[in-house]
Amino acid sequence: MSSAPALASGGGVLPRHVAIIMDGNGRWAKKRFLPRVAGHRAGVEAVRAVSRAARAMGIEALTLYAFSSENWRRPEEEVGDLMGLLRLFIRSDLAELVRENVRLRVIGDFRRFPGDVVALIEDALARTAANTGPVLVIALNYGGQAELTEAARRLAARAAAGEIDPASIAPATIEAELETRDLPPLDLLIRTSGEHRLSNFLLWQAAYAELLFVDTLWPDFGAAELEAAVADFGRRQRRFGGL
Ligand code: IPE
Ligand code: IPE
Ligand code: MG
């Protein structure tokens, strides 16, 4: 299914699919004595810069963790600010995505967002659906455990209905139920801000991804940091259990 990986400009192998846990907006703002929302605003600028850089580098798929299924635990005001920024981002950047032949995708249960945001997202998905270029995946109200639970539920229902034999369920069967099923395998997973955890992101998909934890706070992460991450990836030796 997968063609040979491309070579990055530095000579290393280019990851086909990069995912980023964009963390540290709040701390970025705090360091500047600004409200947390200012950090999120600066984070949107970083999204723009990094998605442009990923396209320029020839990365096929970029998945960005923008709102986790656990982020509802934040104060209502902050959740509202994040929804507001999402509205702004779609309104201001959709034209560029359409023009640049980017296919926008969303993973996660975004239909739990406010109705007007859901409508904006659905319109953006529809307007880029026929594009054939790189994929920009935004994880919205996404949780890896919920994704796997949903997959288990669907397979159990099909088994109960006699449509599939439980003994036939293989990793590929589960993979085909995941929201990432039509994306290239995850090669590189980056988390910014110095935290060393997955926070429920792409649990299944991370099985053999290369992990990179950087101290840079998300608003300070740009094209140069992405290039450095890709160069680091190019120097890794992936074994997948072999020698
Ligand atoms: C990441 O930055 C953005 C979201 C989770 C939406 P944070 O808001 O988590 O920033 P810190 O971790 O508090 O610095
Ligand atoms: C993970 O960051 C979620 C996103 C980046 C959207 P959090 O800041 O929510 O993660 P925890 O709470 O530190 O694990
Ligand atoms: Mg955080």
Side-chain angles (χ1 to χ4, degrees):
M1 158 201 129
S2 48
S3 52
L7 286 182
S9 51
V13 172
L14 187 67
R16 297 180 64 199
H17 183 179
V18 176
I20 310 181
I21 302 173
M22 310 185 286
D23 199 11
N25 294 350
R27 281 162 282 169
W28 184 93
K30 193 171 180 197
K31 268 177 46 183
R32 288 165 177 74
F33 307 100
L34 293 169
R36 290 179 58 85
V37 64
H40 295 314
R41 236 177 259 133
V44 175
E45 285 301 320
V47 166
R48 220 165 258 144
V50 168
S51 62
R52 281 178 187 152
R55 291 204 290 278
M57 292 169 79
I59 293 167
E60 289 173 55
L62 176 69
T63 300
L64 301 175
Y65 205 7
F67 193 91
S68 79
S69 51
E70 286 70 42
N71 285 145
W72 297 109
R73 294 180 187 158
R74 296 192 179 198
E76 212 177 298
E77 189 192 339
E78 176 156 345
V79 171
D81 287 340
L82 289 167
M83 297 300 148
L85 285 171
L86 185 55
R87 281 187 192 98
L88 277 178
F89 176 75
I90 296 175
R91 290 209 181 101
S92 59
D93 284 56
L94 181 59
E96 174 177 331
L97 298 180
V98 172
R99 193 171 61 238
E100 296 276 311
N101 197 23
V102 175
R103 235 175 333 138
L104 185 69
R105 287 275 311 273
V106 171
I107 58 172
D109 190 8
F110 72 92
R111 290 189 173 80
R112 301 278 291 275
F113 282 3
D116 73 298
V117 177
V118 173
L120 271 175
I121 294 170
E122 278 171 341
D123 172 63
L125 294 175
R127 282 170 59 187
T128 63
N131 286 355
T132 54
V135 190
L136 175 62
V137 187
I138 314 284
L140 297 172
N141 192 19
Y142 173 86
Q145 291 182 339
E147 180 185 37
L148 287 165
T149 304
E150 206 34 64
R153 207 175 273 146
R154 275 197 300 269
L155 291 173
R158 297 218 312 258
E163 292 164 20
I164 54 166
D165 174 3
S168 74
I169 296 175
T173 325
I174 295 174
E175 211 148 73
E177 296 295 323
L178 302 180
E179 296 193 75
T180 51
R181 61 190 157 265
D182 51 355
L183 297 173
L186 181 60
D187 290 318
L188 175 62
L189 173 58
I190 304 168
R191 184 175 188 140
T192 60
S193 88
E195 306 294 348
H196 298 94
R197 54 177 171 265
L198 294 180
S199 300
N200 204 11
F201 193 43
L202 300 177
L203 299 179
W204 174 283
Q205 297 85 345
Y208 262 108
E210 292 297 321
L211 307 180
L212 179 65
F213 299 96
V214 297
D215 289 334
T216 313
L217 302 174
W218 174 248
D220 293 327
F221 195 95
E225 287 71 20
L226 182 68
E227 275 158 26
V230 165
D232 185 318
F233 173 86
R235 290 188 294 270
R236 307 249 184 126
Q237 197 197 351
R238 302 178 85 188
R239 297 206 187 88
F240 300 100
L243 291 179

